[in-house]
């Protein structure tokens, strides 16, 4: 199971879902906070879900308020980058580019893509944490950094 | 989960814990560094908190800027560093940065996912000491303590630079003085730098850069309490133990009082020696405007004020303060206001100042002057600050100093300070030759409280003039000195008693030469009340500036005991020199002088302290003129290379170093100082 966990983790990185920042979080995890990473990710999804909703609503109002959209996305990007969500972050950056160039179409398209990546990552991380919990605390401690 | 202080908003516990932790942690610095992190993003906040805890810091997190600000206000000395996000819903991060800079003068680190050059630049201009790009890595956080140390060091250094001259002098002069320069001084200075609490004396965390001793911040109020206690006991009978009892300030140790008393005594001595130097002015000039005058941010204003007020603020202190204050280029601060506060600190002697007579009224005068005088640049606020600083003669200086920084960068303040002071002083002390007018307007304002009196009445002040920086300070100087501790507050630069600038007429030649020679061991006769630091004892009225002015005015031969102030001479010289030159319009020469004073101390180049007193005269004349043109280099202790000045001064004794220091009063429109 440990190996399975390791494999899963490796693929998350290899496929570009996670980046170095995630490792930073893992390094912060210790005996005092054995589930730190999971807690942070949970918090992220809860909080960022709110922002996603705001953006969606803003995209329903025409014409687009690009400044507002950009501001929301800036916020979202900050959060996403702090947990190491690489693909999500990339989509955020693209979205902001479209905002700056006042490209409504581009924004909408990118946003759809972003939501997909966002959901995919969530699924994968949930599976990962579940496995990690099953593997036991020992596993966690030995998790290769 | 976590353990250690995860307080979200616990100012009280924070403060007390911080206080204690501070002491304990001082030895293990940066362990226990008290960080306040502000970010509206809960994910980031959580991660940051964990990272900081891992670095063994004491973390307090906050998701709203308003909350953070009130936390900080409630507990000014409860935190060492603040980390804030740029984009927040309730308040712009830069705005928060400005507030913190102005009010608390803490190092602030900005962070954002935005790494655009323009945003980062904004951080720089608003005074952030660092800018982190999100996502933040723990490595970046591990080193944030450097900003705390750097800040303290700069403040102290500025403070010290202006004061070091004195120190050096003192040491040379005598052992007792040497004591001052000992840790006690350091401790005080350092603590003054970080003047976190006005009233209470809190033992700040040790200055990690050097002493491990807890620093006591001699705020204006505290100093006043001290002076009250001393007066009650009678200067002869005032022993630390009794003073401590009378003061009844929790957390204050006998040792703190003892060292403060020592300084005070010197200050008094200096005051009596210098007859009328609007030493304050000097201080202001001295303010080492390090270029960042702007940020005087809270510190500056406060410190300077106090210093200014006390007039006594040894030029150095002002300078430091100013510098300190200025150092904080927060942009917003722009207002020398902080300086004003300083004065309060210094007002140390003001109320009580011996020179009380002249001063008292001078103070008012000065205060006013300071405020008015305060170079336009200074911003009336500052003046206002100074005003109340009236008490703090030192403040005046400070103010001046601060002004200087603010406006033209030191000069303004100095000038202002000097001016008010000068005016006050001048008025009072005509002995100088020229009625303190110069003084009053000049930095006196700050000093005016105490110093103002100095100038006029204090014949002793004369010394002030001589005593660079000491003079004015003499009265206030003591105050200033102390405030110097607050130096943190005053960016140290403010001291430059710029006040003297007003003394334009005074032509720095001021007696520095005469008196200065004697005492100033080389310390340029600047009586300029720079004394602040050490010689505050003599409340020599702001004389620093004035003194210079007066001195110069008179015939420079004022015997003003400038000499006494010679120590200050360095600063004084500077000041003196300027008065004539600089006095922008108003005889602010005081400021000039002060500058000279400062510079003398600092700028090796400028203060030709080495020239000896006579030079001073010439210098003064010269410098006065020059001063104008030269921006108060003096102010910036940094520029001056105090050490050099010191040595020069020492050598010269009277070599009232040419005021050439660039007192640069240009910035200050002495005119402001209503004489």
């Amino acid at each position: 199971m440990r190996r399975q966990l390791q494999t899963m983790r490796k693929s998350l990185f290899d496929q570009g879902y996670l980046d170095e920042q995630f490792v930073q979080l893992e390094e912060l995890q210790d005996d005092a906070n054995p589930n730190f990473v999971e807690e942070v990710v949970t918090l992220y999804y809860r909080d960022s879900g709110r922002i996603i909703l705001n953006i969606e609503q803003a995209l329903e109002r025409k014409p687009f308020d690009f400044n507002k959209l950009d501001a929301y996305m800036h916020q979202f990007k900050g959060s996403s980058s702090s947990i190491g969500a690489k693909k999500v972050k990339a989509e955020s950056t693209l979205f902001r580019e479209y905002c700056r160039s006042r490209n409504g179409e581009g924004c909408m398209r990118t946003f759809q893509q972003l939501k997909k990546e966002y959901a995919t990552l969530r699924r994968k991380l949930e599976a990962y944490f579940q496995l990690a919990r099953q593997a036991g605390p020992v596993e966690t401690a030995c998790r290769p950094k | 989960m976590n353990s250690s202080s995860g307080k979200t908003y616990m100012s009280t516990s924070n403060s007390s814990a911080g206080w204690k932790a501070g002491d304990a942690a001082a030895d293990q610095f940066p362990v226990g560094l008290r960080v306040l992190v502000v970010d509206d993003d809960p994910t980031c906040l959580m991660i940051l908190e964990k990272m900081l805890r891992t670095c063994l810091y004491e973390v307090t997190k906050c998701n709203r800027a308003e909350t953070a600000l009130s936390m900080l206000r409630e507990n000014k000395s409860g935190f060492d560093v603040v980390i804030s996000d740029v984009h927040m819903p309730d308040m712009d991060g830069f705005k928060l940065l400005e507030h913190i800079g102005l009010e608390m003068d803490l190092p602030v680190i900005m962070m954002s996912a935005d790494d655009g050059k323009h945003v980062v630049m904004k951080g720089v201009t608003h005074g952030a000491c660092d800018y982190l790009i999100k996502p933040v890595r723990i490595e970046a956080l591990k080193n944030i303590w450097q900003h705390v140390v750097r800040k303290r060091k700069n403040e102290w250094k500025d403070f010290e630079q202006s004061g070091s001259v004195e120190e050096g002098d003192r040491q040379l002069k005598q052992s007792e003085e040497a004591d001052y320069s000992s840790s006690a001084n350091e401790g005080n200075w350092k603590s003054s730098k970080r003047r976190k609490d006005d009233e209470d004396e809190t033992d700040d965390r040790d200055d990690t850069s050097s002493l491990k001793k807890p620093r006591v911040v001699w705020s204006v109020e505290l100093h006043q309490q001290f002076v009250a206690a001393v007066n009650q006991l009678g200067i002869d009978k005032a022993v630390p133990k009794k003073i401590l009892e009378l003061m009844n300030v929790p957390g204050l140790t006998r040792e703190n009082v003892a060292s403060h008393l020592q300084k005070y005594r010197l200050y008094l001595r200096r005051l009596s020696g210098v007859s009328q130097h609007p030493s304050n002015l000097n201080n202001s000039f001295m303010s080492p405007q390090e270029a960042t005058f702007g940020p005087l941010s809270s510190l500056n204003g406060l410190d300077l004020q106090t210093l200014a007020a006390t007039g006594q603020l040894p030029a150095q202190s002002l300078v430091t303060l100013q510098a300190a204050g200025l150092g904080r280029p927060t942009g917003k601060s722009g207002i020398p206001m902080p300086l004003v506060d300083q004065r309060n600190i210094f007002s140390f002697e003001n109320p009580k100042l011996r020179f009380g007579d002249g001063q008292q009224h001078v103070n008012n005068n000065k205060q006013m002057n300071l405020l008015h005088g305060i170079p336009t640049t200074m911003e009336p606020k500052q003046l206002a600050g100074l005003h109340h600083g009236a008490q703090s003669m030192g403040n005046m200086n400070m103010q001046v100093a601060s002004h200087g920084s603010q406006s033209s960068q030191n000069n303004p303040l100095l000038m202002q300070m000097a001016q008010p002071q000068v005016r006050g002083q001048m008025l009072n002390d005509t002995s100088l030759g020229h009625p303190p007018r110069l003084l009053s307007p000049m930095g006196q304002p700050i000093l005016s409280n105490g110093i103002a009196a100095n100038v006029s009445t204090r014949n002793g002040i004369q010394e002030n003039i001589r005593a660079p920086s000491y003079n004015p300070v003499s009265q206030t100087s003591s105050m200033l000195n102390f405030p110097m501790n607050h130096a943190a507050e005053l960016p140290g630069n403010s001291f430059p008693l710029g006040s003297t600038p007003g003394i334009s007429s005074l032509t720095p030649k001021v007696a520095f030469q005469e008196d200065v020679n004697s005492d100033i061991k080389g310390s340029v006769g600047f009586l300029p009340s720079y004394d602040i630091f050490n010689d505050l004892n003599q409340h020599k009225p702001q004389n620093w500036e004035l003194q210079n002015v007066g001195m110069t005015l008179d015939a420079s031969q004022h015997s003003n005991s400038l000499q006494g102030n010679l120590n200050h001479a360095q600063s004084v010289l500077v000041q003196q020199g300027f008065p004539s030159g600089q006095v922008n319009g108003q005889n602010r020469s005081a400021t000039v002088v002060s500058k000279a004073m400062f510079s003398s101390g600092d700028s090796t180049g400028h203060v030709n302290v080495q020239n000896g007193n006579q030079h001073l005269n010439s210098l003064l004349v010269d410098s006065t003129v020059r001063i104008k043109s030269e921006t108060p280099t003096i102010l910036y202790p940094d520029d001056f290379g105090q050490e050099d000045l010191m040595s020069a001064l020492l050598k010269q004794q009277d070599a009232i170093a040419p005021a050439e220091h660039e007192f640069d009063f240009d910035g200050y429109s002495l005119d402001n100082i209503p004489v």
Side-chain angles (χ1 to χ4, degrees):
Chain A
M1 195 184 276
R2 193 181 308 177
R3 217 179 13 196
Q4 202 181 344
L5 195 67
Q6 279 179 21
T7 309
M8 193 187 275
R9 181 179 174 276
K10 191 170 185 299
S11 87
L12 282 171
F13 281 97
D14 290 346
Q15 290 173 16
Y17 286 104
L18 296 175
D19 63 22
E20 172 60 23
Q21 190 62 18
F22 191 81
V23 180
Q24 288 267 313
L25 296 189
E26 286 177 322
E27 283 176 354
L28 286 174
Q29 190 156 293
D30 54 18
D31 290 342
N33 303 101
N35 302 312
F36 180 71
V37 186
E38 189 178 354
E39 284 165 16
V40 173
V41 172
T42 306
L43 181 59
Y44 162 73
Y45 272 101
R46 192 168 60 224
D47 185 61
S48 58
R50 185 178 47 85
I51 307 175
I52 294 276
L53 204 58
N54 288 340
I55 298 177
E56 260 174 3
Q57 286 170 357
L59 283 175
E60 280 164 18
R61 288 191 279 275
K62 301 276 184 359
F64 288 158
D65 183 346
F66 288 108
N67 289 338
K68 200 168 196 170
L69 286 169
D70 187 56
Y72 280 138
M73 194 47 78
H74 171 82
Q75 216 181 331
F76 181 81
K77 183 184 170 187
S79 263
S80 307
S81 65
S82 63
I83 67 152
K86 195 171 182 182
K87 288 195 180 186
V88 174
K89 181 180 174 182
E91 295 297 331
S92 309
T93 306
L94 192 56
F95 184 93
R96 291 192 77 195
E97 285 294 321
Y98 283 126
C99 280
R100 289 203 204 105
S101 52
R102 298 313 197 239
N103 185 338
E105 263 301 307
C107 282
M108 288 204 294
R109 258 185 297 121
T110 308
F111 188 61
Q112 295 310 314
Q113 189 62 24
L114 183 146
K115 280 195 287 184
K116 252 201 253 171
E117 293 293 346
Y118 180 74
T120 305
L121 180 66
R122 181 189 223 145
R123 257 195 346 265
K124 288 189 180 276
L125 283 175
E126 273 173 3
Y128 177 74
F129 289 131
Q130 199 171 11
L131 192 60
R133 265 183 266 122
Q134 284 170 15
V138 173
E139 201 58 48
T140 323
C142 307
R143 209 188 306 162
K145 296 277 166 135
Chain B
M1 45 153 140
N2 270 283
S3 49
S4 28
S5 26
K7 9 184 192 231
T8 8
Y9 182 118
M10 295 204 294
S11 40
T12 42
S13 59
N14 216 5
S15 54
S16 56
W19 190 78
K20 288 191 247 160
D23 285 348
D27 293 335
Q28 317 160 305
F29 187 85
V31 170
L33 192 73
R34 296 159 304 169
V35 185
L36 174 65
V37 57
V38 190
D39 194 338
D40 65 312
D41 183 337
T43 312
C44 291
L45 206 57
M46 185 176 178
I47 297 172
L48 281 169
E49 188 193 17
K50 183 71 175 116
M51 282 180 172
L52 291 165
R53 291 260 167 79
T54 304
C55 295
L56 300 179
Y57 295 152
E58 227 181 76
V59 189
T60 306
K61 62 179 183 194
C62 194
N63 65 353
R64 292 191 70 245
E66 290 291 349
T67 318
L69 208 52
S70 45
M71 249 197 260
L72 286 166
R73 282 179 183 143
E74 267 179 44
N75 184 10
K76 288 200 173 152
S77 64
F79 299 99
D80 297 308
V81 61
V82 179
I83 301 180
S84 171
D85 187 31
V86 168
H87 299 278
M88 288 189 287
D90 64 332
M91 188 194 288
D92 180 41
F94 293 118
K95 201 148 198 264
L96 177 66
L97 165 63
E98 281 181 0
H99 276 292
I100 297 177
L102 272 173
E103 300 176 31
M104 296 113 205
D105 192 34
L106 283 174
V108 182
I109 296 170
M110 301 304 294
M111 54 173 185
S112 176
D114 207 340
D115 60 351
K117 176 178 144 195
H118 135 83
V119 183
V120 178
M121 178 63 85
K122 216 172 163 194
V124 172
T125 54
H126 281 73
C129 45
D130 204 351
Y131 191 103
L132 305 175
I133 307 290
K134 284 185 180 178
V136 179
R137 295 174 63 87
I138 194 169
E139 290 80 28
L141 295 176
K142 282 212 174 102
N143 284 331
I144 60 172
W145 58 267
Q146 64 174 293
H147 301 294
V148 177
V149 175
R150 188 175 295 119
K151 199 174 196 44
R152 288 189 198 165
K153 211 169 166 64
N154 286 340
E155 287 169 354
W156 192 71
K157 187 154 60 123
D158 292 337
F159 192 76
E160 194 191 37
Q161 281 194 349
S162 41
S164 65
V165 170
E166 295 177 351
E167 265 215 331
D169 254 0
R170 271 188 301 161
Q171 288 183 345
L172 291 173
K173 283 210 306 199
Q174 33 205 248
S175 49
E176 45 177 317
E177 289 179 336
D179 274 5
Y180 261 77
S181 40
S182 69
S183 58
N185 277 349
E186 280 183 299
N188 280 345
W189 283 345
K190 286 195 202 158
S191 47
S192 59
K193 277 193 296 181
R194 301 203 84 202
R195 192 170 101 93
K196 307 264 191 124
D197 293 319
D198 284 346
E199 313 238 66
D200 282 0
E201 168 164 357
T202 50
D203 278 19
D204 280 349
R205 292 234 315 208
D206 284 359
D207 186 337
T208 55
S209 51
S210 49
L211 300 178
K212 298 271 186 166
K213 306 205 304 206
R215 288 191 278 123
V216 165
V217 174
W218 281 93
S219 65
V220 175
E221 291 80 352
L222 195 63
H223 181 75
Q224 280 172 10
Q225 271 181 283
F226 169 84
V227 175
V230 168
N231 288 341
Q232 197 174 328
L233 292 167
I235 190 66
D236 295 332
K237 294 216 185 61
V239 285
K241 194 155 187 299
K242 293 213 179 107
I243 297 172
L244 186 66
E245 281 167 22
L246 272 178
M247 282 178 75
N248 195 23
V249 170
L252 189 59
T253 69
R254 191 207 145 279
E255 192 189 23
N256 297 140
V257 173
S259 63
H260 195 76
L261 179 65
Q262 204 174 10
K263 291 190 193 158
Y264 184 67
R265 286 220 179 95
L266 283 176
Y267 166 83
L268 292 175
R269 189 151 11 102
R270 193 192 329 238
L271 282 179
S272 54
V274 176
S275 43
Q276 339 148 334
H277 298 293
S279 47
N280 293 328
L281 296 178
N282 296 330
N283 290 334
S284 35
F285 291 117
M286 296 288 293
S287 53
Q289 310 280 334
E290 297 191 321
T292 42
F293 282 85
L296 289 186
S297 50
S298 57
L299 241 186
N300 298 329
L302 291 178
D303 288 340
L304 290 176
Q305 280 192 341
T306 340
L307 289 175
T310 43
Q312 299 294 340
L313 283 185
Q316 305 181 350
S317 43
L318 278 179
V319 175
T320 317
L321 289 177
Q322 278 210 339
L326 297 178
R328 305 198 352 100
T330 27
K332 42 202 182 194
S333 32
I335 322 183
M337 293 261 316
L339 291 176
V340 174
D341 295 336
Q342 293 276 350
R343 289 195 308 168
N344 290 322
I345 303 182
F346 290 108
S347 45
F348 163 82
E349 287 283 326
N350 291 334
K352 316 282 183 111
L353 293 175
R354 306 301 164 78
F355 35 93
D357 27 300
Q359 306 176 346
Q360 294 304 338
H361 92 68
V362 172
N363 289 337
N364 295 325
N365 222 2
K366 306 256 190 104
Q367 292 279 326
M368 300 273 305
N369 293 330
L370 282 180
L371 294 180
H372 306 302
I374 302 197
T376 46
T377 52
M378 287 265 317
E379 257 125 82
K381 292 206 268 185
Q382 297 232 337
L383 289 177
L386 290 174
H387 217 33
H388 62 318
Q391 307 266 319
S392 36
M393 300 234 307
N395 288 340
M396 300 270 298
N397 291 329
M398 302 276 302
Q399 280 265 328
V400 177
S402 53
H403 291 300
S405 44
Q406 298 285 344
S407 41
S408 42
Q409 291 223 325
N410 354 72
N411 290 325
L413 287 177
L414 293 179
M415 304 275 292
Q416 298 264 336
M417 303 234 327
Q419 305 199 348
Q421 296 246 335
V422 175
R423 286 218 273 236
Q425 300 258 342
M426 307 268 297
L427 298 179
N428 295 326
D429 237 64
T430 13
S431 53
L432 288 184
H434 286 290
R437 332 187 248 138
L438 296 182
L439 295 180
S440 37
M442 314 248 279
Q444 292 284 336
I446 305 187
L447 293 176
S448 52
N449 293 320
I451 310 195
N454 287 329
V455 175
S456 43
T457 51
R458 325 264 287 102
N459 292 292
I461 303 193
Q462 308 190 336
E463 301 180 348
N464 290 340
I465 306 203
R466 302 298 249 221
S469 64
Y470 281 133
N471 293 328
V473 178
S474 34
Q475 299 224 351
T476 47
S477 53
S478 40
M479 303 225 296
L480 293 177
N481 285 332
F482 296 109
M484 299 285 302
N485 290 325
H486 299 299
E489 302 187 61
L490 295 181
N493 8 36
S494 23
F495 292 123
L497 299 182
S499 42
T500 48
I503 318 195
S504 50
S505 49
L506 291 184
T507 46
K509 335 192 251 190
V510 180
F512 289 125
Q513 308 199 342
E514 337 168 310
D515 297 329
V516 176
N517 295 321
S518 48
D519 284 10
I520 310 188
K521 304 219 233 158
S523 50
V524 190
F526 285 105
L527 292 186
S529 24
Y530 286 124
D531 273 349
I532 313 186
F533 286 107
N534 305 305
D535 303 344
L536 288 180
N537 21 51
Q538 312 240 7
H539 280 299
K540 300 277 177 158
Q542 316 256 329
N543 299 323
W544 293 335
E545 307 274 331
L546 293 179
Q547 298 188 345
N548 295 328
V549 174
M551 307 240 324
T552 48
L553 293 179
D554 279 298
S556 57
Q557 293 294 325
H558 287 305
S559 46
N560 301 325
S561 7
L562 290 181
Q563 317 186 345
N565 296 320
L566 286 182
N567 288 326
H568 301 293
Q570 302 203 349
S571 43
V572 171
L573 288 179
V574 173
Q575 295 200 340
Q576 307 252 338
F578 298 121
S580 24
Q582 297 287 344
V583 186
N584 292 320
Q586 309 190 351
N587 303 313
R588 310 297 179 93
S589 49
T591 40
V592 169
V593 173
S594 51
K595 290 221 283 207
M597 304 226 314
F598 288 112
S599 3
S600 48
D602 294 337
S603 52
T604 35
H606 300 295
V607 180
N608 295 313
V609 176
Q610 315 187 343
N611 301 325
N613 300 327
Q614 271 88 40
H615 278 295
L616 197 60
N617 276 331
S618 50
L619 289 180
L620 290 179
V621 180
D622 252 355
S623 39
T624 47
V625 177
R626 276 197 293 196
I627 304 190
K628 288 214 287 230
S629 47
E630 304 182 305
T631 19
T633 33
I634 312 193
L635 294 180
Y636 299 93
D638 294 324
D639 296 346
F640 304 129
Q642 287 187 339
E643 289 71 44
D644 291 346
L645 278 179
M646 281 292 297
S647 48
L649 285 177
L650 295 176
K651 294 191 228 162
Q652 304 294 342
Q653 288 256 323
D654 292 335
I656 308 207
E660 318 181 340
H661 298 301
E662 334 198 289
F663 286 138
D664 216 8
F665 295 107
D666 296 330
Y668 306 102
S669 34
L670 291 176
D671 302 298
N672 297 328
I673 305 182
V675 178

